[in-house]
């Protein structure tokens, strides 16, 4: 195919049997996957029998649009009558929602089951803790949630986790887990991990597996290095009949072990599929020679990897700038000044990113950007997790679920939002089926609320999602309440109106609700907003910018050392190095690195030494940046 290099063409042509594509950063892997899909259709494969799975909504959307553009531009394609079908391009979680909805009754769920976000899960964990006689204020609910999430990703159940428990903490977690699952079952809800766990359980059933394995005969999995055990099992089950599985990944970009991703999946692919074809993509189309030389030198120190060396025909480019500052505030000002200078010289703000290892680093950077009048967008505050947005979605979901148990949690959330004079005690009686005991006046209020839900349900049956959102906002009274409120309420009103704009992108309510439940940090990126992006390195995966600032390159921060630990394990050390490699390879034109001598962490000042990663880079590739003049700190005393 025109425009493909020799390595890419081999990958596109290898359409039968297991295929492993080791794709380096910026090597055009999305281009390879989409052209491979086109090639399959050219060969007569039905579009509907092709499945492509990736990890983020943004990546799935980009891949879907590219596939559709390729098919639309293929004038010589002998289109079958079923050409209205399209390849199924999805994230793992959206695929799970699709399969679970089609088989909801097997799991005892409705099609409009509730998908817990992180806040919902924390609420349910707190409830489970109180049921177990624990005070959520004295014990961290997040620690239970994280342990349960990791265990689910490994394919464990509460029973198997309890059997393998090595102490009181694990036994207690198993107890909380059982109660947590019971709460979700009562609310007809699944959390993000369950979307994968329940999908795998369904596919373990021969009749369900046969249906999907025979429907999707050609399976593509992007970012295979980031799959956990459950995702691995889902892929294995779907490919069980055809064995036409093409996985694309890079061991050097495995950075999610903390949420269950296991590098072993990609390392052992040839053992799982001995007949596999292996192709390595080493030509980088993104970065300069200088950036790649630095990245290659850094990652070469790792042992757990499939060896490759990125190369490019791009120019050598500018040297990497390294700036040493006195404090984190000085570092932030230096970054803001450099960003301001780039913007003033013609670089679009959206082509600049500031990456950091930990979220707390954003505070100083934000303050500096505000003072220097540098436009920025901070990733991490998710639109769909705002209370007012969740309230509107709860109205719609409660209306669609009617009298089903799945509606209970949503009804409890919105029955008195905005206030209708219906208190918690009344809600408890309604949910307990004791509504007849309520006073006549309260019964009338409840009847009015139920009438509102019925009118939203009727609207949903007759109109598009955007119309339903507008209707729910108005008829619920939320619009009027926010309009009559303060400045913060005005912002909330703008947010729920923006929800209608988001809904306008969808033709059916199920797709809209699924997107709302599965939105990620990258979905918050506003492509048409010209602002510098501030984000963690983890959030930057899959993105690219002309200029990338990597802040806080200090020992114990990047590479990161957990508080109270002697130091990272060899596996953790390698993952930190992969994380730095990912940060470097986000840049097209130039990398700007910085570190501070003194940084305030958890309220205390500490003296830091430069990150070991800096020493991995050839000094000939680096130029010293002008340090920001120290301010705000007169002296620091070190007690030896």
């Amino acid at each position: 195919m025109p425009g493909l290099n020799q390595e890419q063409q081999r990958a596109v042509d290898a359409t039968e049997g297991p295929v492993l594509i080791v794709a380096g950063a910026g090597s055009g892997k999305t281009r390879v996957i989409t052209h491979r899909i086109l090639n399959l259709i050219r060969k007569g494969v039905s579009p509907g029998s092709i499945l492509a799975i990736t990890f983020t909504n943004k990546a799935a959307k980009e891949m879907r649009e590219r596939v559709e553009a390729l098919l639309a531009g293929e004038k010589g394609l002998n289109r079958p009558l079923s050409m209205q079908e399209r390849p199924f391009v999805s994230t793992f979680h959206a695929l799970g929602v699709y399969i679970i909805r089609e088989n909801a009754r097997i799991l005892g769920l409705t099609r409009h089951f509730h998908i817990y976000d992180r806040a919902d899960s924390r609420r349910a964990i707190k409830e489970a803790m109180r049921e177990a006689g624990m005070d959520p204020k004295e014990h961290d609910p997040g620690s239970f949630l994280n342990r349960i999430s990791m265990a689910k990703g490994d394919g464990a159940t509460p029973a198997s986790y309890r059997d393998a428990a090595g102490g009181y903490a694990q036994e207690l977690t198993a107890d909380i887990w059982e109660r947590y699952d019971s709460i979700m079952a009562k609310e007809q809800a699944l959390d993000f991990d369950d979307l994968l766990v329940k999908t795998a359980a369904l596919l373990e059933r021969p009749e369900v597996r046969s249906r999907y394995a025979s429907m999707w005969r050609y399976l593509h999995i992007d970012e295979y290095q980031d799959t956990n055990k459950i995702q691995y099992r889902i892929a294995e089950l779907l490919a069980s009949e055809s064995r036409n599985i093409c996985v694309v990944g890079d061991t050097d970009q495995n950075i999610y072990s903390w949420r269950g991703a296991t590098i072993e999946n990609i390392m052992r692919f040839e053992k799982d599929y001995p007949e596999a074809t292996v192709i390595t993509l080493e030509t980088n189309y993104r970065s300069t020679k200088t950036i790649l030389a630095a990245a290659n030198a850094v990652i070469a120190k790792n042992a757990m990897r499939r060896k490759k060396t990125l190369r490019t025909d791009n120019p050598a480019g500018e040297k990497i700038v390294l700036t040493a500052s006195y404090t984190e505030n000085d570092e932030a000002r230096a970054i803001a000044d450099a960003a301001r200078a780039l913007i003033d010289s013609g670089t679009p703000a959206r082509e600049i990113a500031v990456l950091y290892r930990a979220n707390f680093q954003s505070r100083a950077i934000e303050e500096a950007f505000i003072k220097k009048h540098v436009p920025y967008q901070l990733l991490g505050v998710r639109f769909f997790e705002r209370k007012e947005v969740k309230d509107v979605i709860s109205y719609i979901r409660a209306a669609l679920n009617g009298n089903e148990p799945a509606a209970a949690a949503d009804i409890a959330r919105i029955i008195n939002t905005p206030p209708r004079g219906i208190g918690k005690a009344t809600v408890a009686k309604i949910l307990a089926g004791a509504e007849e005991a309520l006073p006549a006046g309260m019964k009338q209020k409840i009847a009015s609320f139920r009438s509102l839900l019925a009118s939203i349900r009727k609207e949903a049956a007759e109109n598009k999602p955007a119309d339903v959102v507008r209707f729910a906002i108005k008829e619920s009274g939320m619009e009027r309440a926010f309009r009559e409120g303060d400045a913060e309420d005005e912002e909330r009103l703008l947010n729920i109106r923006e929800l209608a704009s988001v809904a306008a992108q969808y033709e059916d309510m199920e797709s809209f609700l699924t997107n709302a439940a599965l939105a990620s940090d990258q979905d918050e990126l506003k492509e048409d907003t010209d602002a510098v992006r501030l984000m963690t390195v983890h959030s930057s995966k899959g993105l690219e910018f002309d200029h990338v600032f990597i802040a806080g390159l200090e020992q114990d921060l990047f590479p990161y050392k957990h508080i109270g630990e002697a130091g990272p394990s060899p596996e953790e050390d390698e993952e930190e190095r992969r994380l730095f490699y990912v940060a470097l390879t986000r840049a097209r034109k130039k990398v700007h690195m910085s570190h501070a001598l003194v940084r305030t962490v958890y309220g205390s000042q500490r003296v830091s030494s430069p990150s070991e990663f800096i020493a991995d880079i050839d000094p000939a590739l680096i130029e010293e940046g002008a340090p920001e003049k120290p301010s705000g700190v007169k002296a620091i005393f070190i007690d030896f």
Side-chain angles (χ1 to χ4, degrees), residues 286-292 294 314-323 338-339 341-342 345 347 351-355 544-550 582-594 617 621-626:
R286 176 188 301 158
S287 306
T288 65
K289 286 185 173 69
T290 295
I291 294 169
L292 292 188
N314 291 336
E318 298 182 64
K319 288 186 176 184
I320 295 170
V321 173
L322 175 62
T323 303
L342 286 169
S345 65
T347 299
E351 289 298 343
I352 304 170
V354 182
L355 310 183
E544 56 185 69
F545 307 89
D546 284 348
H547 290 262
V548 170
F549 291 80
I550 308 174
V582 166
L584 287 170
T585 54
R586 297 312 92 201
R588 299 190 195 100
K589 296 180 178 180
K590 191 167 184 175
V591 171
H592 309 250
M593 304 189 304
S594 61
I617 301 173
L621 302 175
I622 296 175
E623 65 178 4
E624 298 290 330

Side-chain angles (χ1 to χ4, degrees), residues 482-483 485-495 497:
F482 288 148
R483 189 182 290 124
D486 55 20
E488 289 185 0
D489 284 331
E490 183 178 354
E491 184 176 344
R492 294 184 182 104
L493 179 58
L494 292 175
N495 285 335
R497 285 179 172 172

Side-chain angles (χ1 to χ4, degrees), residues 399-419:
L400 292 174
N401 280 318
N403 293 321
E404 294 279 357
D410 288 316
I411 288 173
R413 179 186 183 92
I414 47 113
I415 195 169
N416 202 44
T417 303

Side-chain angles (χ1 to χ4, degrees), residues 556-594:
D556 298 343
L557 179 55
F558 200 179
Y560 188 77
K561 186 182 87 170
H562 294 282
I563 296 172
E565 292 186 2
S569 66
E571 293 78 16
E572 289 172 332
D573 187 61
E574 289 210 353
E575 181 149 340
E576 287 295 305
R577 191 171 294 279
R578 291 194 293 267
L579 193 59
F580 182 53
Y581 174 85
V582 166
L584 287 170
T585 54
R586 297 312 92 201
R588 299 190 195 100
K589 296 180 178 180
K590 191 167 184 175
V591 171
H592 309 250
M593 304 189 304
S594 61

